[in-house]
Amino acid sequence: MGVEARIEAAETARIDQRWSLFVTLAVLNVLDVITTELVIQAGGHETNPLIKPIVDSVLAVSLVKAIALLVVGLLLARCRPSRAIDVALTLTTGWYVAVVIWNTVVLALL
C-alpha cells in the first residue's frame, strides 16, 4: 500500500471514528433525558441551569437536545477533519458518559 493510500485509509478511519462518537453522543443524550426524567419522578431535581427552566417538559428538553445534535452533526459533515474537532467530540461524549452515570447513581440513591 502506497503512502497516499495509507493516508487516505487513516483519514477514513478518523472520519468513521468521529461518526461513531457522534452516534454514541446521540444515544447518551437520549439516556440523559430518560435518566433525568426518572430522577425527577423519584423526587430529585435538575441541576443544569440551562435546562432547569424547561425541565418540566420532556418534549422541550428533547427538542433542545435534538437541535444541538443536529447542529453538531451538520458541523461534523461540513468541517474539515481536525484534531480540535476530534478532541472536542471526545470530551463532550465523555462528559455525557459521566452525566448518565451520575444520573444513574442519583436514581439508585433516591
Side-chain angles (χ1 to χ4, degrees):
M1 179 183 290
V3 173
E4 287 183 22
R6 283 193 300 245
I7 291 171
E8 188 174 324
E11 186 64 30
T12 300
R14 275 182 66 189
I15 291 169
D16 290 347
Q17 180 182 17
R18 186 173 297 132
W19 285 109
S20 294
L21 277 171
F22 177 75
V23 169
T24 302
L25 182 60
V27 170
L28 287 167
N29 269 269
V30 170
L31 291 173
D32 178 31
V33 171
I34 292 168
T35 57
T36 298
E37 182 61 24
L38 291 172
V39 166
I40 290 168
Q41 288 177 4
H45 62 276
E46 176 63 64
T47 58
N48 181 340
L50 299 174
I51 296 295
K52 208 172 204 173
I54 62 170
V55 77
D56 292 335
S57 172
V58 175
L59 180 61
V61 171
S62 298
L63 186 60
V64 166
K65 288 184 173 279
I67 291 168
L69 285 167
L70 178 64
V71 169
V72 170
L74 289 172
L75 288 171
L76 286 175
R78 298 205 36 117
C79 291
R80 289 183 298 161
S82 76
R83 177 80 66 207
I85 290 171
D86 293 345
V87 168
L89 188 57
T90 301
L91 290 174
T92 304
T93 302
W95 171 259
Y96 271 94
V97 167
V99 167
V100 171
I101 290 170
W102 175 258
N103 285 351
T104 304
V105 169
V106 169
L107 186 58
L109 295 174
L110 289 176

